[in-house]
Amino acid sequence: MSERIIEGLPDDTQRIVQAYAKDVKQAFGERVEGLLIYGSAVRGEFLPGRSNLNMLLLMASYNSEALRTYAPLHKRWNKEQIVVPLFLTEQELNDSSELFPLEFLEIQDWHRVLGGRDPFVGYHINRSRLGDQVLQGLAGHALRLRQRYAEAGGADDAVTILLPLAVTSIVPLLRGLQRMLNRPVSAHSDAVVSDIAGHFKIDLQGLLDALALKRGQISPGPSEVPRLFDRYLHAVSTVSATALTLR
């Protein structure tokens, strides 16, 4: 696998990604037809020490032995924020696009090939279920958010961990809304939130606050954390209810 440069990634992270790609090639050889990186590292939103590095391994085939082969790589590279990759064959990729349109649209739009071939060249994603996936995702997000808050008893330290994770997971759903509305799809999270807020004329400041928290741009004190959560919950509930009008 030849070395590939990913625009905007810090030099240290570039070296980590390149070394990882070499390890994958050495471990799997010809069983790997392609290695892709996708997500924040490609969209220009990677935060060193905060963001994960997401990978997809396009496999010729796999079995339990092949999956066990990855275990030493995970042990080595997990500490560098490289999560266990998606293991897929090309047939699985083709068969599952209708079931996971949002996920595959995200990968298709923002990925780079670290080695091998790109399975997304000429790849068609069936969008017939995109609307249902987005609406279900937004409703489920609000449900899980309330569960996690109650589970943590509203503790400040738990909330300041919960909100960055939550906003990371809701932004792809908002990009799904942009696709449903045939609007330009934004790479950067703030632009996504602002576009949806402007289109529907709703207040999504709570999501922007959570993004600022995720980036370390704000450090809310004990009196502000509950208000921060309430603003986020209000924003999520508002966008979820508004999205239902698109049915």
Side-chain angles (χ1 to χ4, degrees), residues 89-99 104 119 122-124:
T89 65
E90 186 164 26
Q91 186 64 51
E92 289 173 327
L93 195 63
N94 291 330
D95 290 345
S96 55
S97 73
E98 184 178 356
L99 301 176
F104 287 132
Y123 181 66
H124 173 71

Side-chain angles (χ1 to χ4, degrees), residues 16 68 92 94 97 106 142 155 173 193 218-219 244:
I16 288 169
R68 287 195 302 271
E92 289 173 327
N94 291 330
S97 73
E106 288 280 300
L173 295 167
V193 174
I218 59 173
S219 300
L244 288 175

Side-chain angles (χ1 to χ4, degrees), residues 26-48:
Q26 184 175 4
F28 288 96
E30 297 306 315
R31 287 181 293 181
V32 172
E33 297 182 346
L35 172 60
L36 282 62
I37 183 171
Y38 65 93
S40 62
V42 180
R43 292 196 312 272
E45 293 194 298
F46 182 77
L47 301 173

Side-chain angles (χ1 to χ4, degrees), residues 26-27 31 45-46 53-54 100 113 144 164 169 177 198 209 211 239:
Q26 184 175 4
R31 287 181 293 181
E45 293 194 298
F46 182 77
L53 293 163
N54 301 293
F100 305 104
V113 178
R144 288 189 294 274
S169 67
L177 273 181
D209 292 343
L211 287 169
V239 73

Side-chain angles (χ1 to χ4, degrees), residues 102-116:
L102 181 61
E103 289 82 354
F104 287 132
L105 284 166
E106 288 280 300
I107 298 174
Q108 185 178 52
D109 285 351
W110 292 289
H111 74 274
R112 295 289 183 274
V113 178
L114 299 177

Side-chain angles (χ1 to χ4, degrees), residues 58-103:
L58 184 70
M59 305 288 290
S61 63
Y62 58 84
N63 54 20
S64 59
E65 185 274 330
L67 297 176
R68 287 195 302 271
T69 298
Y70 189 81
L73 277 70
H74 177 62
K75 185 175 181 180
R76 175 179 179 185
W77 293 107
N78 182 54
K79 64 180 182 293
E80 303 293 354
Q81 304 300 114
I82 297 179
V83 298
V84 176
L86 299 177
F87 292 88
L88 289 167
T89 65
E90 186 164 26
Q91 186 64 51
E92 289 173 327
L93 195 63
N94 291 330
D95 290 345
S96 55
S97 73
E98 184 178 356
L99 301 176
F100 305 104
L102 181 61
E103 289 82 354

